Amino acid sequence: MSALLEVEDLRVTHDGNPIVDGVDLTLAPGEALALAGESGCGKTTTALALMRLLPPTLTQSGVITLRPEGVTDPINIGRRTETGMRLVRWRHISLIFQGAMNSLDPVQKVGKQIAEAIGIHERASSSDIAARIGDLLATVGLTGGVADRYPHELSGGQRQRVMIALALACGPSLVIADEPTTALDVVMQAQVLQLLERLREELGLALILISHDLGVLAETCDRIAVMYAGRIVETGSVDAVFAAPQHPYTKLLLDSLPVIGGDRGVGVAIPGAPPNPGEPPPGCRFRPRCPYSAERCDVDPPLREVRPGQLAACHYAPWERWPEPAAAAGAEVSR
Amino acid sequence: MSEIQAGEIGTGETLMSVSDVAVDFRARRKTARALDGVSLDWRPGEILGIVGESGCGKSTLARAMLGLQPASEGELTVNGGVVAGKSEQRALRKRVQMIFQDPYQSLNPRQRVSTIVAEPLKVQGIAKEEHDERVRRAMSDVGLDSDRYLDRYPHQLSGGQRQRVAIAAALVLDPEGLICDEPVSMLDASVQAQILKVLVGLREQRGLALIFITHDLSLAWSLCDRISVMYLGRIVEEGSAEDVIERPQHPYTQALVTAIPVPTPGGGGRRELLEGELPDPTAVPSGCRFHPRCPRRFEPCDRVDPELIETGGRGQRAACLLHDPAAVAAAERDGSGSTA
């Protein structure tokens, strides 16, 4: 089966500084890919670049090819004009933003907002649209009455469901969800994640889920790409990466998380802080924070296959066993 | 009961006790009871977790404990002395300090770190000669180099550094207790552990008692000695962190624990999730306030409001009629059984 989405050498720069620096991604139809990493690593910028929604101060390059089912010619997203992109957005790729509270129009009823999204892509009678809105709201677990409400009359969880309904309105084959549950409580978060999973099964949707919460990603996705300072530093199946991470950054991120039933106490801290976006340090970008760094690390490591199907950008991968980290852990925080 | 003396060292069993505290918010003609009959003991050197969904009253409880939110009922005792008036509140704040979720909003952007950290000393009227030394000590306690950071402004610091500054300002009065309202939820994973290390280190080095208010149950489980679970203004379960999270006895806690995303592939799997959302606090359900969402409700739950009932013999208590043998027996006798 050919890939639904192929991204080759995606770069985004701000005044010549690389925010996203050579990202490759592929996604099969119906697949769920996790995009992990801390704030400022380029996750959201990558998502916006895939939608061609970057602000004008940022420049993007690279080839982005989308092959939705039933569309004969592949869509070359990187080369589309803005007018051309309007036919692609929401129809073939949708984006669920972080913080649903702020991305709905506060002065329009929910139903009208969904109707507008449908209206951009097709002509349909108002009774058809009303029926579709009812179906969409039901799909995301809301009652039809929500269509007559304003966003402020809904709870955070309900608004996030409305956002998902909007994203689904035109039947896209790929949905990008950027921190869709970050503002939600654990119960609401679990409800929204279960909804996304159900939609994947029922509609065959492919999903790119962006989150800094590795627990959320592990539960929802098939594959994961971990980003650090504008690059993918590790990628592979969720099972493989979580069971045996091959990049020190991934390993330390996993070690910093408490796992109920495991050891109590504070997890391992990663010393220091990520570099400012667009200002990566020379050599391996993780080197200044890496407790395992050694002499080869002043050369920038390529992302390469280190175990079957698992890629890591670390000279010393594959790691059979992690040595005791040097005194680096707990060092003075500085940037 | 004695009044709290400034600077008095805690010798009591508890650093602070909250007894039957209620807080009401009035909006037009409606009253929302944000806290309803909440009691808890916070012991010296203890890390106490307060968990629950947003809107459950956990932050209101923290504010009430510091006297930042007037209580409509109940009382606060610190070391055996009732906190009644302004002067006691001022003394209270020397002993118990608070840090907030958002280190980007809780620091004055126009003040240098040195001024921010020294501010509590000024408010409490501590002699000026002592300021510099105490500020530097607090900075070193949170792992920040004074020479490097005291002259900076908040915008020149990273999120983790700002939270450290907030902690330093809270520590400068040498409090016995620190209430932390979601102290790391705005920080990145790798920085979270750094801040938690600082906080737990303070407990180990100087016996600082901590209250962790959080919606992150894994975090509460990993750090706290005891946990209280809140639902709609009430504590519905309390006990040791291991008992409450690994062997929850209240259906609400069970639902919260089930909902935690697990960072192990396939660890979550299919699960039964709580339906619906937290009800409107101006219209608290009858009987057990959790019954409309409870998967295990039975006959009396919509009329009987359960108290906290001892469940394990190790101090774990749950406000659920399933732990009241009389209620369960009566329901079985009537043959009504569980409706779920």
Side-chain angles (χ1 to χ4, degrees):
Chain A
M1 194 160 30
S2 65
L4 169 67
L5 176 74
E6 263 177 297
V7 179
E8 283 166 68
D9 201 29
L10 177 67
R11 286 168 195 276
V12 178
T13 54
H14 177 256
D15 280 347
N17 295 323
I19 310 291
V20 173
D21 199 10
V23 160
D24 296 333
L25 292 172
T26 50
L27 194 68
E31 191 178 30
L33 174 74
L35 209 51
E38 297 174 273
S39 45
C41 72
K43 309 185 294 279
T44 297
T45 309
T46 301
L48 292 173
L50 296 181
M51 295 283 286
R52 293 277 306 280
L53 283 173
L54 289 170
T57 49
L58 298 181
T59 323
Q60 78 179 78
S61 67
V63 182
I64 304 169
T65 315
L66 187 72
R67 297 187 185 85
E69 203 189 332
V71 177
T72 30
D73 294 328
I75 300 169
N76 187 335
I77 289 183
R79 301 184 63 175
R80 286 243 163 173
T81 59
E82 176 54 28
T83 321
M85 268 319 288
R86 277 190 203 144
L87 303 173
V88 176
R89 279 183 215 130
W90 310 110
R91 174 67 191 88
H92 298 298
I93 309 191
S94 300
L95 178 60
I96 301 168
F97 293 94
Q98 196 170 147
M101 331 300 164
N102 309 324
S103 28
L104 291 169
D105 184 343
V107 297
Q108 267 194 32
K109 288 181 179 168
V110 164
K112 186 141 186 250
Q113 298 191 46
I114 301 177
E116 244 171 44
I118 298 174
I120 292 175
H121 291 277
E122 47 199 288
R123 290 188 179 279
S125 70
S126 54
S127 62
D128 278 357
I129 289 184
R132 286 260 297 276
I133 292 172
D135 289 347
L136 279 166
L137 291 174
T139 307
V140 298
L142 293 171
T143 57
V146 168
D148 285 327
R149 304 269 199 93
Y150 289 97
H152 75 266
E153 298 176 289
L154 305 176
S155 73
Q158 287 173 327
R159 271 181 273 193
Q160 195 56 286
R161 284 170 194 267
V162 169
M163 281 304 296
I164 296 173
L166 265 172
L168 298 176
C170 302
S173 41
L174 170 62
V175 170
I176 304 172
D178 188 1
E179 302 274 10
T181 62
T182 304
L184 304 177
D185 277 310
V186 49
V187 173
M188 215 53 62
Q189 166 174 295
Q191 287 176 359
V192 168
L193 293 177
Q194 207 167 61
L195 170 65
L196 287 175
E197 241 177 275
R198 183 166 62 78
L199 295 174
R200 273 184 66 208
E201 274 168 29
E202 287 174 6
L203 309 176
L205 272 185
L207 179 69
I208 296 180
L209 184 61
I210 299 176
S211 177
H212 66 280
D213 186 331
L214 295 173
V216 165
L217 296 174
E219 288 206 347
T220 318
C221 296
D222 310 312
R223 278 194 307 126
I224 184 168
V226 181
M227 290 188 72
Y228 187 78
R231 289 247 179 100
I232 291 176
V233 295
E234 177 156 9
T235 179
S237 77
V238 161
D239 290 349
V241 171
F242 278 71
Q246 292 301 317
H247 193 284
Y249 178 61
T250 318
K251 172 183 163 44
L252 292 173
L253 271 187
L254 286 169
D255 285 351
S256 69
L257 290 178
V259 179
I260 290 172
D263 292 334
R264 298 208 312 143
V266 184
V268 179
I270 306 180
N276 285 325
E279 296 169 15
C284 169
R285 295 172 181 210
F286 189 55
R287 182 188 191 172
R289 304 176 72 193
C290 183
Y292 308 103
S293 66
E295 67 275 23
R296 274 156 76 193
C297 303
D298 49 8
V299 177
D300 196 2
L303 185 66
R304 64 194 166 88
E305 188 162 25
V306 295
R307 296 169 79 205
Q310 192 171 357
L311 284 70
C314 174
H315 292 299
Y316 295 96
W319 292 85
E320 300 302 332
R321 197 163 48 84
W322 294 93
E324 279 299 304
E332 165 79 23
V333 185
S334 56
R335 185 176 274 176
Chain B
M1 295 255 161
S2 64
E3 281 198 3
I4 312 159
Q5 297 300 307
E8 184 192 344
I9 301 299
T11 50
E13 287 254 312
T14 64
L15 166 61
M16 194 169 193
S17 291
V18 175
S19 320
D20 260 323
V21 163
V23 168
D24 294 315
F25 291 115
R26 281 183 190 82
R28 294 197 198 136
R29 250 166 265 128
K30 288 180 179 169
T31 300
R33 182 146 269 210
L35 286 183
D36 189 14
V38 168
S39 299
L40 58 84
D41 289 332
W42 184 21
R43 297 165 195 153
E46 177 180 56
I47 306 187
L48 177 64
I50 298 177
V51 302
E53 292 169 275
S54 45
C56 73
K58 50 193 197 302
S59 294
T60 307
L61 174 58
R63 295 173 58 82
M65 287 179 79
L66 281 176
L68 296 171
Q69 177 65 53
S72 24
E73 286 169 27
E75 67 183 19
L76 212 60
T77 43
V78 174
N79 206 19
V82 178
V83 180
K86 283 256 182 287
S87 65
E88 289 130 8
Q89 269 179 20
R90 221 166 107 125
L92 165 68
R93 275 193 222 137
K94 263 181 96 166
R95 311 175 57 138
V96 178
Q97 283 281 322
M98 183 161 178
I99 58 166
F100 297 91
Q101 175 175 15
D102 190 349
Y104 294 85
Q105 287 186 8
S106 58
L107 303 181
N108 185 337
R110 298 170 64 171
Q111 287 183 339
R112 291 182 197 273
V113 169
S114 52
T115 315
I116 293 171
V117 178
E119 182 77 13
L121 297 170
K122 234 165 84 189
V123 173
Q124 291 283 346
I126 309 280
K128 245 199 146 88
E129 306 80 70
E130 285 186 39
H131 286 202
D132 189 54
E133 194 210 320
R134 290 182 71 162
V135 165
R136 284 173 175 269
R137 185 151 34 106
M139 289 289 280
S140 104
D141 281 344
V142 298
L144 286 178
D145 180 1
S146 289
D147 293 332
R148 195 157 160 194
Y149 293 106
L150 279 180
D151 284 338
R152 297 209 188 173
Y153 288 96
H155 74 265
Q156 297 170 306
L157 305 174
S158 69
Q161 289 167 344
R162 283 180 217 218
Q163 197 59 297
R164 284 168 194 256
V165 168
I167 299 170
L171 287 179
V172 76
L173 291 170
D174 276 322
E176 294 156 55
L178 182 61
I179 298 178
C180 311
D181 191 356
E182 300 276 11
V184 296
S185 62
M186 304 257 310
L187 302 174
D188 275 317
S190 70
V191 181
Q192 283 194 3
Q194 294 172 3
I195 298 298
L196 296 173
K197 240 184 189 130
V198 167
L199 290 170
V200 172
L202 290 166
R203 191 264 281 265
E204 276 153 22
Q205 288 149 26
R206 54 154 88 177
L208 183 73
L210 298 169
I211 283 185
F212 258 101
I213 295 173
T214 179
H215 65 274
D216 185 337
L217 276 82
S218 322
L219 180 68
W221 167 83
S222 67
L223 296 180
C224 299
D225 301 314
R226 286 191 304 135
I227 290 180
S228 295
V229 181
M230 292 191 68
Y231 186 78
L232 213 57
R234 284 263 179 92
I235 291 175
V236 295
E237 178 158 5
E238 60 187 20
S240 78
E242 284 108 321
D243 280 343
V244 169
I245 304 298
E246 295 176 31
R247 293 169 286 279
Q249 298 298 317
H250 193 289
Y252 177 62
T253 319
Q254 289 164 356
L256 283 184
V257 170
T258 317
I260 302 172
V262 192
T264 0
R270 289 269 155 205
R271 53 197 176 187
E272 234 173 89
L273 288 180
L274 213 54
E275 283 177 19
E277 305 187 10
L278 214 58
D280 181 352
T282 60
V284 173
S286 65
C288 168
R289 53 194 61 208
F290 184 57
H291 88 264
R293 298 173 78 192
C294 183
R296 301 182 65 193
R297 66 178 173 267
F298 61 119
E299 188 276 318
C301 296
D302 59 351
R303 12 178 216 95
V304 183
D305 191 2
E307 311 233 329
L308 282 165
I309 302 167
E310 191 82 30
T311 65
R314 279 185 304 207
Q316 189 174 4
R317 303 200 299 160
C320 174
L321 292 172
L322 286 169
H323 297 284
D324 179 350
V328 175
E332 274 169 8
R333 210 166 41 240
D334 299 347
S336 54
S338 173
T339 59

